[in-house]
Amino acid sequence: MDIQIFESYFLDEKNLDKALLAIKDDIDRIEHYSQSFSSGTMLENPMALANALIELSGLYMSLRPKLAIASTYKENNQLKHYYNAKANTPKDTKFVDASTEKEASYSVASFRRVRNILEGYVEAIEKSMGMGQSLLKALQKEHEMPVGD
């Protein structure tokens, strides 16, 4: 998916679900590998494991910039809400920083949700790749296969 199209979903909070729909195929692939690792089927075929690592790397390269976009929009919208509230506080009224921060945080709940989902899948990929690499090395030693550098 074109990164500019993905980013455009963050311009209007109403379109955030489109961002998740846009990465549905990627999420489905990650879930597939999650099941494969959980069931142990990856241990049965070292070549399938190697192919999974290649695909997981591609998924990581695709999703990591999207996570950066989601994080940026969440942060920027939260700051914008905070500074607007601060700027619009009447001069004769005491500005309460803690409550304004909470309001700002609440105002970006839907952005945070998308960011957290992306973050969770990116972390799952990282963990899967680490585990997959360790398993592949163990399988290679077990089968006395040459280990590539």
Side-chain angles (χ1 to χ4, degrees):
M1 147 157 282
D2 183 88
I3 198 78
Q4 281 117 359
I5 293 171
F6 184 80
E7 186 170 7
S8 72
Y9 299 139
F10 290 83
L11 298 176
D12 185 345
E13 189 173 357
K14 295 174 193 163
N15 292 326
L16 288 176
D17 283 339
K18 290 180 182 178
L20 293 176
L21 285 173
I23 59 169
K24 183 183 180 329
D25 290 343
D26 291 345
I27 290 172
D28 290 345
R29 294 304 301 154
I30 296 165
E31 291 292 342
H32 164 77
Y33 286 119
S34 172
Q35 291 298 319
S36 295
F37 280 112
S38 296
S39 68
T41 56
M42 283 292 166
L43 291 172
E44 298 167 7
N45 185 345
M47 200 54 158
L49 180 55
N51 289 334
L53 288 171
I54 292 167
E55 186 171 4
L56 286 167
S57 294
L59 288 167
Y60 181 85
M61 287 184 276
S62 174
L63 291 180
R64 187 60 187 94
K66 292 174 176 112
L67 171 58
I69 289 169
S71 295
T72 298
Y73 276 88
K74 180 260 175 200
E75 245 346 272
N76 288 348
N77 282 308
Q78 187 170 344
L79 287 170
K80 182 168 45 171
H81 182 88
Y82 175 86
Y83 286 115
N84 283 342
K86 189 172 184 175
N88 292 326
T89 300
K91 294 189 188 295
D92 60 341
T93 305
K94 181 180 177 187
F95 178 75
V96 181
D97 192 62
S99 65
T100 305
E101 283 180 6
K102 289 203 183 296
E103 287 173 24
S105 178
Y106 179 76
S107 75
V108 294
S110 54
F111 287 94
R112 182 180 308 101
R113 176 182 167 268
V114 173
R115 192 265 332 256
N116 287 350
I117 290 169
L118 269 165
E119 192 171 61
Y121 280 109
V122 167
E123 287 177 16
I125 291 170
E126 291 170 338
K127 298 289 185 195
S128 296
M129 288 176 61
M131 182 182 63
Q133 290 168 347
S134 296
L135 288 172
L136 191 57
K137 284 182 182 178
L139 288 170
Q140 288 170 330
K141 281 183 182 178
E142 184 179 305
H143 292 94
E144 297 181 23
M145 297 167 57
V147 177
D149 291 316

